[in-house]
Amino acid sequence: MRQVRPNGLPAYKRIQGAILKRLESGQLKPGDAVDSERELAKIHRVSLMTARHALAGLEREGMVVRRRGAGTFIAPPKIHFNKLMSYTEQMAGRSLAVSSKLLSLGVIDTEQEIAARLALPATSPLIKVERLRLGANEPFAIETCYLSAGDFAGLTQSPLDRISLFSILEHDYGLEIAHADEEIDATTADPHTARLLGIAHDAPVLRIRQVIYSTKGKTALYVLGLYRSDRHTLLIRRFR
Amino acid sequence: MRQVRPNGLPAYKRIQGAILKRLESGQLKPGDAVDSERELAKIHRVSLMTARHALAGLEREGMVVRRRGAGTFIAPPKIHFNKLMSYTEQMAGRSLAVSSKLLSLGVIDTEQEIAARLALPATSPLIKVERLRLGANEPFAIETCYLSAGDFAGLTQSPLDRISLFSILEHDYGLEIAHADEEIDATTADPHTARLLGIAHDAPVLRIRQVIYSTKGKTALYVLGLYRSDRHTLLIRRFR
DNA sequence: AAGTGGTCTAGACCACGGC
DNA sequence: CCGTGGTCTAGACCACTTC
């Protein structure tokens, strides 16, 4: 028999989409049973293997749980551990009154070490964005981002004081972020940092250096973050 | 046709095992091509779908990379990000001369906060193990573990100064570790800590609080770690 | 006993990669 | 062009859970 693809999508993805849609619409809640393989096969007029493939994919993504002899069920709501989120996204999830203040924005070409971390030639021009992060009107972090000035030309004209840097990169520059490698340690606040964060000179701060990679495997961003450790802890889940 | 399972193993697992064996024996190296689906199907006398299933499983585990039109290849050696490892395991992977010194070992029942983190009644007796970690004969961390004295009776008699705590828990108590939730921040060394680590009073240290869960979902261990930040950085990979 | 997921067959066509 | 992985069919038997 010929394969027919009305939407241009493989059948198993159509089936996954149909289930996800029912989940998003609230028609399906965690714990609810999903149609069985055989039911899905009938409904979508595919073979059992194809229906299986659809459910197996959803299980791999953690959307459903399959129990032999019992059925397939919507998985409990995901806890997003170790997810890379922009500051704006993180705060949106906590309903905290937050804001961000642009400290500086410019192009530099003297930061050899940072160019190296971005896998760029030593004297490449870099855009440097320095921002103060505030929660409940109290500063709690300084984040300094470095990007290739060549790859993100025009970024210095963007309204970074109003719009999330991540969303500008994603929407205006088509950047797709894949993952970040982070190096975490503790240090003491230098006078400049201490003044901006409103903490004592030599107070401990959490330092996070991120190298952010695009889905194409390219280094896209280097971010240095300094966090008041009295207001900020990092939560991580690690697996055996 | 009847399914025949000489080893009691599903065919796709037998195929995976055969490939992994060739990998471990050094016969296959990263970048090498693996037998194609069709070859595997012939060799193991299974259908194409079954051979596919075997390769798909290996790909999901990150052992191989599949490239349409090209073939299936052994994946580059894994970098273990965000893996939960005992101190002993970590150091073994770096070939560093390391050791560990038992500072104290005893049973306490007054740590309400820690009992709470382990999801135990407030006055439960807890085993407390305090150890100094050294690398190249220089101290770099203090780790304090707390366990339920009831669940791990007899542990205080174990040779913790010689044998890894993790391996004792796994082998003698049948503990299977699943994951850990960690809370990371920066703080300053108190006098006791500073003296043991050989750093200045008020020097910044990285503080990691771990709650370790068993595969049965039980909280098994609470670990407080204080790390010299001049000798130790934490590496994390986070995903979008 | 009925229904579920887990494994498997023996084919098929398609889209893509490298030669 | 040929070989590769990607998708798919229309069945089948097994092991397990639920009732």
Side-chain angles (χ1 to χ4, degrees), chain B residues 222-238:
Chain B
Y222 176 73
V223 184
L224 166 64
L226 295 169
Y227 300 86
R228 280 179 69 161
S229 61
D230 55 345
R231 293 292 165 84
H232 204 281
T233 68
L234 178 65
L235 296 180
I236 292 287
R237 174 167 285 192
R238 297 164 90 169

Side-chain angles (χ1 to χ4, degrees), chain B residues 102-146:
Chain B
L102 190 62
L103 296 176
S104 75
L105 172 58
V107 177
I108 57 170
D109 58 4
T110 52
E111 293 281 359
Q112 294 197 18
E113 191 201 325
I114 289 163
R117 291 205 193 231
L118 285 168
L120 293 171
T123 55
S124 297
L126 299 176
I127 299 172
K128 176 180 178 180
V129 185
E130 199 179 3
R131 289 175 298 174
L132 185 67
R133 306 298 208 173
L134 305 105
N137 279 325
E138 286 225 27
F140 74 86
I142 299 173
E143 280 183 16
T144 312
C145 302
Y146 299 86

Side-chain angles (χ1 to χ4, degrees), chain A residues 1 3 10-12 45-47 49-50 67-69:
Chain A
M1 199 204 267
Q3 290 175 31
Y12 77 97
R45 306 170 153 278
V46 296
S47 78
M49 278 297 253
T50 302
R67 295 217 318 273
R68 172 190 296 220

Side-chain angles (χ1 to χ4, degrees), chain A residues 141-182:
Chain A
I142 299 173
E143 279 184 15
T144 313
C145 303
Y146 298 86
L147 312 80
S148 160
D151 292 349
F152 299 100
L155 185 68
T156 48
Q157 262 67 57
S158 298
L160 281 176
D161 49 339
R162 296 199 337 266
I163 304 179
S164 154
L165 174 62
F166 267 46
S167 64
I168 289 177
L169 294 180
E170 288 182 350
H171 295 128
D172 298 357
Y173 293 89
L175 174 66
E176 287 178 26
I177 289 168
H179 68 267
D181 285 339
E182 308 190 0

Side-chain angles (χ1 to χ4, degrees), chain A residues 125-136:
Chain A
L126 298 176
I127 299 172
K128 176 179 177 181
V129 185
E130 199 180 2
R131 290 176 297 175
L132 185 68
R133 307 297 208 173
L134 306 105

Side-chain angles (χ1 to χ4, degrees), chain B residues 191-236:
Chain B
H192 173 246
T193 303
R195 188 160 21 84
L196 284 170
L197 289 180
I199 55 178
H201 169 61
D202 279 353
V205 292
L206 194 65
R207 173 169 55 192
I208 304 181
R209 302 176 174 106
Q210 292 185 314
V211 178
I212 301 182
Y213 295 85
S214 76
T215 48
K216 295 175 198 73
K218 235 189 122 184
T219 58
L221 218 62
Y222 176 73
V223 184
L224 166 64
L226 295 169
Y227 300 86
R228 280 179 69 161
S229 61
D230 55 345
R231 293 292 165 84
H232 204 281
T233 68
L234 178 65
L235 296 180
I236 292 287

